[in-house]
Amino acid sequence: MITANSFFRDMFGHKMYKASISLNVTCPNRDGSKGTGGCIFCSEGGSGEFAARNCDPVAKQIEEAIGRVSSKAGKEAGYIAYFQSFTNTYCSPDYLAECLLEASSCEGIEAVSIATRPDCLGPEILSVLEQQAKRMPLFVELGLQTANDDTAKLINRCYDTDEYIKAVAVLKSIGANVITHIIFGLPGESREMMMDTVRLCAETGSDGYKFTCLYVLKNTPLERLFLDKEVEILEMEEYFDIVEEAVGLLPENAVIHRFTGDGPKKSLIAPLWTMNKRQVINYINRRFGL
Ligand code: SF4
């Protein structure tokens, strides 16, 4: 297992920080083309709670994001332009190309990371991404969450796992580094089902992973399931037991970009242990020897 920090240090020679950007995009299972209402856990912000909340030009958003961390980051640090909210390839190829070029031209930006879905990678979008991968390192983050298609239906993911498998192959063929998002603790999933997801991702050749425990946010369909006691939320130890087992199934060169997520405090309902960020970080460092 390799942590994101050591991976980025090896790749860029220094610490990397993310500059989060919002694009003028939505998501195919929010706007009705695939579904409505979004994934049951997803907030109105489209899983990008910490991204800049505006539609300012990309360069302005990056400048502001870098400004917020630059005193902590120091002069040596580099930045990744992180297209975080919603589905960032669910737009016209020209718009995406323009935004990527603008981001890549900003001072301090040494890489780009794009969060998207496997079913939003048509030929023209892939060609734009291929151009970008030639410019600078490109990370594409795929929100898989689970490899189980029944669970996928339950969470309203609105695409089949086969599409993920094909997307990983094609993204790797154009030079992108693929990061897969996986959620542990989805409704109805046993530990074995969660490990099946991890095994499948390892077999597809996903380069990196972002794990998170299922968390419940206000005003999401999951909130109703939680209030009706139809979903159980993992305790901290239980969750990290699962993460440890998952890491053990991955190849040694797999990069763990995130051990767990933390929902926005103002709308988080559960699990409350994720709110104590310092305690969680200390626990991760101790448990995984970081
Ligand atoms: S695909 Fe992503 S942005 Fe769209 S509803 Fe699901 S989690 Fe939210």
Side-chain angles (χ1 to χ4, degrees):
M1 174 196 79
I2 302 169
T3 62
N5 271 347
S6 69
F7 172 73
F8 287 137
R9 268 189 198 284
D10 278 357
M11 190 173 211
F12 299 98
H14 48 242
K15 199 166 162 69
M16 296 292 283
Y17 288 83
K18 296 244 174 77
S20 294
I21 304 154
S22 270
L23 290 190
N24 191 14
V25 293
T26 175
C27 167
N29 58 351
R30 282 190 170 277
D31 72 358
S33 76
K34 281 281 183 86
T36 52
C39 301
I40 61 169
F41 50 80
C42 183
S43 65
E44 303 228 316
S47 293
E49 306 305 327
F50 306 108
R53 294 293 218 151
N54 58 54
C55 285
D56 281 345
V58 166
K60 183 163 185 273
Q61 292 189 49
I62 289 178
E63 192 188 324
E64 286 172 1
I66 292 180
R68 283 193 289 273
V69 293
S70 58
S71 59
K72 174 184 157 206
K75 287 202 176 76
E76 298 299 310
Y79 294 89
I80 301 171
Y82 184 25
F83 296 79
Q84 181 180 11
S85 309
F86 296 111
T87 301
N88 292 284
T89 59
Y90 189 48
C91 56
S92 80
D94 286 349
Y95 175 64
L96 181 64
E98 203 182 292
C99 293
L100 287 172
L101 188 60
E102 191 175 340
S104 311
S105 313
C106 290
E107 202 180 330
I109 294 298
E110 296 177 33
V112 162
S113 191
I114 300 185
T116 188
R117 297 164 48 95
D119 56 347
C120 294
L121 295 166
E124 288 177 89
I125 290 287
L126 282 168
S127 152
V128 170
L129 294 180
E130 189 169 13
Q131 289 305 312
Q132 181 60 30
K134 286 181 183 148
R135 223 175 261 141
M136 57 177 59
L138 172 70
F139 299 87
V140 178
E141 305 196 10
L142 297 177
L144 176 69
Q145 324 309 357
T146 175
N148 185 294
D149 280 333
D150 291 332
T151 311
K153 281 199 184 75
L154 191 91
I155 64 172
N156 199 35
R157 193 184 67 185
C158 299
Y159 71 81
D160 291 337
T161 298
D162 269 359
E163 291 180 80
Y164 163 80
I165 297 171
K166 287 180 197 140
V168 175
V170 75
L171 286 168
K172 287 175 73 84
S173 77
I174 62 160
N177 183 299
V178 178
I179 299 173
T180 303
H181 291 215
I182 297 176
I183 297 180
F184 293 134
L186 287 169
E189 289 227 329
S190 64
R191 188 141 164 176
E192 203 40 39
M193 288 159 83
M194 300 178 215
M195 294 311 126
D196 284 346
T197 295
V198 176
R199 276 189 219 88
L200 178 121
C201 295
E203 279 161 22
T204 61
S206 176
D207 302 287
Y209 295 85
K210 283 191 173 179
F211 299 124
T212 191
C213 63
L214 181 68
Y215 52 78
V216 185
L217 301 181
K218 282 182 195 150
N219 302 322
T220 58
L222 185 62
E223 181 185 10
R224 177 45 47 209
L225 289 180
F226 178 72
L227 295 175
D228 291 345
K229 303 199 180 337
E230 285 182 38
V231 60
E232 274 180 40
I233 298 302
L234 297 167
E235 293 300 333
M236 185 167 87
E237 292 254 347
E238 201 182 1
Y239 170 73
F240 285 109
D241 284 350
I242 294 168
V243 173
E244 191 173 292
E245 188 177 347
V247 168
L249 296 175
L250 295 174
E252 276 184 11
N253 61 353
V255 181
I256 310 300
H257 290 267
R258 187 178 69 197
F259 285 83
T260 190
D262 52 335
K265 280 188 180 161
K266 61 180 189 321
S267 59
L268 181 72
I269 295 174
L272 295 179
W273 58 261
T274 60
M275 298 249 270
N276 195 338
K277 220 170 163 178
R278 178 150 301 281
Q279 188 192 344
V280 174
I281 290 171
N282 288 341
Y283 180 89
I284 294 170
N285 289 346
R286 259 199 328 274
R287 179 147 188 177
F288 294 91
L290 307 180

